[in-house]
Amino acid sequence: MQTYSSVITTSLARRWRLIFTFSALLCFYWAFSPTVVHAQGGKKVIQLTGVVAAGDSLLGIPGASVYVPKAGRGTNTNEYGFFSLPVLAGDSVVISSLGFAKQSIIIPANFEKQSYSVIIEMLEDPTMLAEIKVFPYATFREFTQAVMAMKLPSQDVDQQTAMSKQILAQMYENTPMDATANHQNYMNLQNQQMLRRGGYNPGATNPLLNPFAWYQVIQSIKRGDFKRKD
């Protein structure tokens, strides 16, 4: 026959078991039930993701601006044209990039899912700048008048000796090398230095390649100059 204390203990154990089971079921429901996030105004928060690509090649456009004018916030696409931005249901999103026409999308107000994915195809919109002519004078007429009034120094120049051979030769000797000639000269010096390190001196004469030296050797053999003398 159970005592009064054993009955109380059994009742408390059942109560705690019931509380633990209810708590576990509640945690399970919270963990696996679809959660809905709302902003302070009551609108649902949706994660907007997508790719901004060029319409002709479908290549991602890096650095494109994805902006929500109403909220005053936005983001930029990465090097692959991908972006991710939290928005509200019903928001209008503007996508812009230099050299392309602006695009805009509207998030449906009754959208039920938590993420919204899009592919934005941007169309080229080149801006043609007006032609700008730069003159040192205010008007073209003043420029023409200045050219017509220009006088060449023809009195102090001897037309016969201005381009003589002596002057041209002096100019050729005193004119320094330009960038191309300087680079070519430096490369030739560097190649010669590398050849000398390998044991080859391009400035020295190789006797084995001298035909006159070979002729003398052949004549010496015919004369018997290399025969051993007893």
Side-chain angles (χ1 to χ4, degrees):
M1 189 174 180
Q2 294 181 351
T3 60
Y4 181 76
S5 60
S6 62
V7 174
I8 295 177
T9 304
T10 305
S11 179
L12 291 176
R14 290 179 180 177
R15 182 177 297 181
W16 282 109
R17 190 181 299 112
L18 181 61
I19 294 174
F20 177 80
T21 304
F22 179 78
S23 301
L25 292 175
L26 186 61
C27 293
F28 182 83
Y29 176 78
W30 285 347
F32 294 95
S33 62
T35 58
V36 179
V37 180
H38 295 272
Q40 294 180 359
K43 292 186 178 181
K44 183 179 179 180
V45 178
I46 301 172
Q47 190 67 27
L48 176 63
T49 58
V51 176
V52 180
D56 54 350
S57 61
L58 293 181
L59 295 177
I61 301 176
S65 175
V66 183
Y67 183 71
V68 182
K70 186 177 181 180
R73 54 185 173 82
T75 184
N76 294 326
T77 58
N78 60 3
E79 62 271 18
Y80 304 106
F82 176 80
F83 70 93
S84 180
L85 177 68
V87 296
L88 299 178
D91 280 349
S92 177
V93 184
V94 179
I95 300 94
S96 62
S97 181
L98 185 62
F100 296 90
K102 289 185 178 181
Q103 299 282 352
S104 61
I105 59 174
I106 298 177
I107 308 300
N110 56 352
F111 192 74
E112 298 180 355
K113 297 182 179 180
Q114 298 181 8
S115 62
Y116 190 81
S117 300
V118 292
I119 298 178
I120 308 298
E121 296 183 6
M122 304 292 287
L123 300 178
E124 292 187 0
D125 185 20
T127 302
M128 302 300 295
L129 299 178
E131 183 182 2
I132 299 177
K133 296 181 180 180
V134 181
F135 294 101
Y137 300 93
T139 61
F140 184 77
R141 182 177 180 180
E142 294 181 2
F143 172 74
T144 305
Q145 293 177 356
V147 172
M148 296 298 295
M150 185 181 299
K151 295 182 179 179
L152 298 178
S154 58
Q155 299 179 357
D156 300 334
V157 178
D158 189 357
Q159 299 293 337
Q160 296 181 358
T161 60
M163 302 297 291
S164 62
K165 293 183 178 180
Q166 182 179 1
I167 295 178
L168 291 177
Q170 185 177 1
M171 293 172 61
Y172 177 77
E173 294 177 356
N174 297 331
T175 302
M177 293 186 296
D178 58 355
T180 303
N182 192 9
H183 173 72
Q184 185 176 2
N185 183 37
Y186 176 77
M187 295 302 296
N188 292 334
L189 294 177
Q190 189 176 8
N191 292 334
Q192 292 178 6
Q193 185 178 5
M194 294 177 64
L195 292 174
R196 290 191 181 95
R197 290 179 181 177
Y200 174 71
N201 188 3
T205 303
N206 191 354
L208 298 177
L209 301 178
N210 189 357
F212 299 100
W214 280 106
Y215 177 77
Q216 294 178 2
V217 171
I218 294 172
Q219 294 298 325
S220 298
I221 294 174
K222 289 181 179 181
R223 292 194 303 267
D225 296 340
F226 299 103
K227 291 183 179 180
R228 184 176 181 181
K229 297 179 180 181
D230 296 334

